[in-house]
Amino acid sequence: MKTQKNISKVLLYTLLIAGVICSIGPFYWMVIGASHTSGEIFKVPPNFLPGSELWTNLKNLDESIGILKVLGNSLTITLIYTALALMICSASGYAFAKFKFKGRDAIFFVLLLAIMIPYHVTLIPLFKMMAALGWINTYQAVILPNLAYPFAIFLMRQNMKALPDSLLEAARVDGAGEFKIFFTIVLPTMKPSLAAVAIFLFMFQWNNFLWPLVILNEQDMYTLPVALSSLIGLSKVDYGQLMMGTAISTLPIMIFFLLLQRQFISGMLGSSVKE
Amino acid sequence: MAELQKETAAKQVYEPKAHKKNWITPKNFPYILIAPTVILFCLFTVYPVISSFIMSFQKSDGAGMAFVGLENYVRLFRDPLFLTALKNTFFILIIQVPIQLFLALILAAALNSKLVKMKAFFRISYFMPAITALVAYSIVFMIMLDENYGIINYFLSLLGMEKVGWLTSTTWSKVALMIAITWRWTGYNMVIYLAGLQNVSESLYEAASIDGAGRIRQFFYITIPQLRPIILFTFVLSTIGTLQLFDEPFILTEGGPNNSTLTISLYLYQNGFKYFDFGYASAIAYVLVIMIAILSWIQMKVAGDQD
């Protein structure tokens, strides 16, 4: 019995560790690659240790896409988007979770349905709309279309449901206005959920590719993913530079995630994960 | 300073009066809360969805659009490239989604086992791929999958295997795409299953072990049936995701070689933003909508009937 238990333990750990190598390996490879030249990246047998070309790659990357400008675009768009979307989605989530009003279920159903609609359907009319407004190559064109993000509203609603009604009632009896209740009771109590949804929204916009690709066509306005994809289109691809770019686009979000992962994962699941 | 104090004192006096006139009530407040969502949603989702539907029956005609009835849809089903994209997408859907979800289930079950320590470490490691930009990981995979110098073929050569033309062979390019997608999404689904497993009663497993059921039997007879609603949920989500597959083939293979990784979304993008054939691209989008609706309905029906 004891040996059997040990055997299954060894098997389990082998499986799990093999899985970890597969899922983390590419990140390691990316960081290593960012410090090598194209030639060194494609050496056989491969290099598994960091190289010395980190600064050269960074300099080359800056020359070809203007990494600071691109990083600034991505950060500006993502931060403004996250702040606005968080306000809009948490307000709606609160309404759907804690109020009874005419049309509530119908509106919520339509929002849920929108999760199933492929984003591509809206692509061309949105493009035409932005063109008509003269908003091609603007931040607002990237930010506006996804502000009312159905999945985030859904998550907020799930989390807000846990808020006790008696708390809200007590505040109302005390004479607090609805806005006051929302800002001084609901939002502070929901901080962990807000954080989780904020990370979710941040990642969505940071990684967003297809819409920015369509709406941004001036290199000065590119976001990080769009700028990276433009590097692949070149006739001679500098892979060291490219790896540097992917590392810059991935590492901040990885660190961000590692710091906040507990909140993020539980928030994603509607606070149903118990440790 | 004194003035400011006077002002706040005055305010305090007037506050009760202002409060009485408060026009925000619990009755109209929810509408104020959802107003931004409804306005933005109508402008940027409802309107485009309708507009795109109308456009799918139109064709560019000089500066404007002319109504052409079902012409775009008829053209679609005679278009060999579209049919290739359709076949490719379904091929990936049928093979990749079950593999990925099964793998996620096994990992979740293993991580849920009492024998395993450091659960948080494993959970974070597996979830990590799900936070990366599709563009970034596609680029890394493109480099790792290089036929002659890629690290994956190097590892295969250590095992005594031949070089595989991951991105240059029409068969292997599909496999490469599926490997990349599996890497990105397995951990994501695993976390969803782990959450579901928290709600499965421990006593079920205990009773099964007393009856002499091994781990593998427990997996098939307890874990899978107990998680059925969640498995259905992930199936529907993965199906929708696969049908919309764009970033990976766009970066990894550009739909090639010889259109072997051309997906419906990629073809839509090419028609819309390379050839500016908006009517035709809209028709492709609506075929996608119809397929997602039908497949989701079938999946829910199949799972519902078993209950």
Side-chain angles (χ1 to χ4, degrees):
Chain A
M1 198 60 191
K2 187 98 196 242
T3 44
Q4 208 187 358
K5 205 171 179 184
N6 279 337
I7 291 170
S8 36
K9 220 174 183 174
V10 168
L11 274 173
L12 257 179
Y13 273 101
T14 314
L15 171 83
L16 287 173
I17 288 167
V20 169
I21 293 171
C22 290
S23 56
I24 302 285
F27 290 108
Y28 179 73
W29 187 238
M30 174 184 77
V31 177
I32 292 293
S35 67
H36 286 294
T37 61
S38 267
E40 285 165 352
I41 290 173
F42 288 112
K43 220 176 75 184
V44 178
N47 278 308
F48 290 105
L49 294 171
S52 55
E53 302 301 315
L54 208 66
W55 286 112
T56 324
N57 284 337
L58 192 60
K59 222 177 67 200
N60 290 340
L61 184 70
D62 190 45
E63 258 161 40
S64 42
I65 62 170
I67 186 68
L68 278 180
K69 177 79 183 128
V70 164
L71 206 58
N73 288 339
S74 264
L75 266 176
T76 313
I77 288 173
T78 307
L79 287 174
I80 296 176
Y81 171 82
T82 306
L84 291 177
L86 191 64
M87 283 199 301
I88 290 165
C89 295
S90 59
S92 301
Y94 177 51
F96 286 122
K98 286 293 158 193
F99 288 89
K100 276 206 175 91
F101 55 93
K102 238 193 193 151
R104 180 187 70 176
D105 296 341
I107 298 172
F108 191 65
F109 178 73
V110 173
L111 282 177
L112 280 191
L113 212 61
I115 297 180
M116 309 243 287
I117 294 176
Y119 186 46
H120 312 78
V121 173
T122 62
L123 221 51
I124 289 164
L126 278 180
F127 176 76
K128 286 180 117 180
M129 193 194 280
M130 297 302 170
L133 290 167
W135 282 0
I136 307 267
N137 282 314
T138 59
Y139 288 162
Q140 67 266 33
V142 183
I143 292 169
L144 281 170
N146 292 304
L147 275 182
Y149 197 123
F151 190 58
I153 295 171
F154 175 75
L155 283 178
M156 278 322 304
R157 172 180 171 269
Q158 293 303 96
N159 290 326
M160 294 265 190
K161 275 190 156 175
L163 211 64
D165 284 323
S166 52
L167 190 71
L168 307 175
E169 280 313 315
R172 274 184 202 122
V173 171
D174 286 348
E178 291 298 328
F179 268 110
K180 196 173 174 194
I181 295 175
F182 181 59
F183 284 109
T184 61
I185 298 174
V186 178
L187 291 185
T189 324
M190 299 306 295
K191 242 184 210 159
S193 303
L194 288 173
V197 174
I199 308 167
F200 174 80
L201 291 166
F202 187 94
M203 283 184 189
F204 161 75
Q205 190 59 271
W206 183 261
N207 292 337
N208 194 5
F209 176 57
L210 181 52
W211 175 241
L213 177 74
V214 166
I215 206 73
L216 306 173
N217 49 38
E218 267 170 30
Q219 201 171 7
D220 246 19
M221 289 304 294
Y222 280 175
T223 57
L224 208 41
V226 178
L228 286 179
S229 82
S230 77
L231 280 178
I232 303 175
L234 301 175
S235 53
K236 195 175 180 307
V237 183
D238 177 349
Y239 289 96
Q241 204 186 106
L242 203 54
M243 289 291 242
M244 184 48 125
T246 55
I248 290 176
S249 79
T250 308
L251 286 179
I253 204 141
M254 254 172 86
I255 294 164
F256 191 50
F257 169 74
L258 284 175
L259 291 175
L260 298 163
Q261 52 86 19
R262 185 171 300 232
Q263 281 174 345
F264 179 62
I265 290 180
S266 65
M268 281 282 294
L269 302 165
S271 55
S272 59
V273 171
K274 287 171 246 151
E275 195 53 31
Chain B
M1 199 61 183
E3 238 175 63
L4 198 78
Q5 271 170 356
K6 224 189 265 168
E7 221 178 83
T8 39
K11 236 187 200 160
Q12 272 165 4
V13 174
Y14 282 109
E15 212 168 48
K17 209 176 165 191
H19 182 71
K20 259 181 210 158
K21 272 200 278 181
N22 204 347
W23 51 275
I24 296 163
T25 64
K27 258 220 145 66
N28 64 28
F29 189 59
Y31 293 106
I32 300 172
L33 286 172
I34 63 165
T37 296
V38 171
I39 293 168
L40 288 165
F41 189 74
C42 287
L43 270 178
F44 297 117
T45 304
V46 178
Y47 164 74
V49 164
I50 295 168
S51 164
S52 160
F53 184 68
I54 296 168
M55 237 187 281
S56 75
F57 300 105
Q58 292 175 330
K59 204 171 164 178
S60 317
D61 179 24
M65 301 284 279
F67 186 76
V68 290
L70 287 171
E71 198 187 292
N72 287 324
Y73 290 95
V74 174
R75 187 179 143 200
L76 265 180
F77 287 94
R78 290 193 187 135
D79 178 351
L81 265 182
F82 175 72
L83 295 177
T84 306
L86 201 65
K87 261 196 295 194
N88 290 341
T89 308
F90 270 86
F91 183 78
I92 295 169
L93 181 72
I94 289 165
I95 297 186
Q96 194 271 333
V97 171
I99 290 179
Q100 162 193 305
L101 295 183
F102 190 67
L103 210 61
L105 254 176
I106 293 177
L107 282 176
L111 259 195
N112 205 44
S113 158
K114 276 196 199 122
L115 295 174
V116 175
K117 295 208 171 66
M118 300 193 301
K119 285 182 199 223
F121 164 76
F122 285 118
R123 200 180 59 198
I124 297 166
S125 306
Y126 291 139
F127 195 76
M128 202 70 103
I131 65 162
T132 53
L134 297 167
V135 171
Y137 98 79
S138 300
I139 290 171
V140 174
F141 269 75
M142 183 181 84
I143 293 169
M144 294 197 310
L145 288 166
D146 186 87
E147 183 175 355
N148 291 312
Y149 308 105
I151 192 163
I152 293 182
N153 273 355
Y154 170 74
F155 283 132
L156 290 180
S157 75
L158 290 184
L159 298 170
M161 283 194 252
E162 297 267 319
K163 271 181 190 164
V164 176
W166 293 108
L167 303 176
T168 49
S169 125
T170 50
T171 321
W172 288 110
S173 59
K174 283 197 188 70
V175 180
L177 206 56
M178 287 192 260
I179 291 174
I181 304 166
T182 308
W183 180 81
R184 176 63 160 62
W185 293 105
T186 301
Y188 178 85
N189 288 300
M190 183 207 73
V191 169
I192 297 179
Y193 291 147
L194 263 179
L197 281 173
Q198 311 279 320
N199 299 325
V200 178
S201 163
E202 200 58 47
S203 59
L204 279 175
Y205 291 102
E206 276 158 22
S209 346
I210 292 167
D211 289 346
R215 273 176 212 296
I216 291 167
R217 289 192 96 180
Q218 287 179 20
F219 178 74
F220 282 102
Y221 289 98
I222 299 175
T223 308
I224 291 185
Q226 286 290 318
L227 288 182
R228 196 197 285 145
I230 297 175
I231 295 174
L232 169 69
F233 171 73
T234 56
F235 249 105
V236 173
L237 279 191
S238 303
T239 302
I240 295 173
T242 309
L243 286 178
Q244 301 184 41
L245 201 62
F246 174 79
D247 300 23
E248 294 92 333
F250 181 84
I251 301 284
L252 214 51
T253 52
E254 289 174 79
N258 197 17
N259 296 314
S260 61
T261 54
L262 183 71
T263 60
I264 303 172
S265 301
L266 197 55
Y267 193 52
L268 185 159
Y269 172 82
Q270 288 175 351
N271 276 291
F273 298 98
K274 228 163 137 183
Y275 314 128
F276 293 99
D277 197 343
F278 286 164
Y280 197 47
S282 298
I284 298 175
Y286 265 89
V287 171
L288 208 56
V289 173
I290 293 164
M291 285 191 312
I292 287 179
I294 293 174
L295 280 177
S296 306
W297 183 76
I298 291 174
Q299 285 170 341
M300 286 183 216
K301 191 91 187 148
V302 167
D305 281 352
Q306 283 172 356
D307 274 331

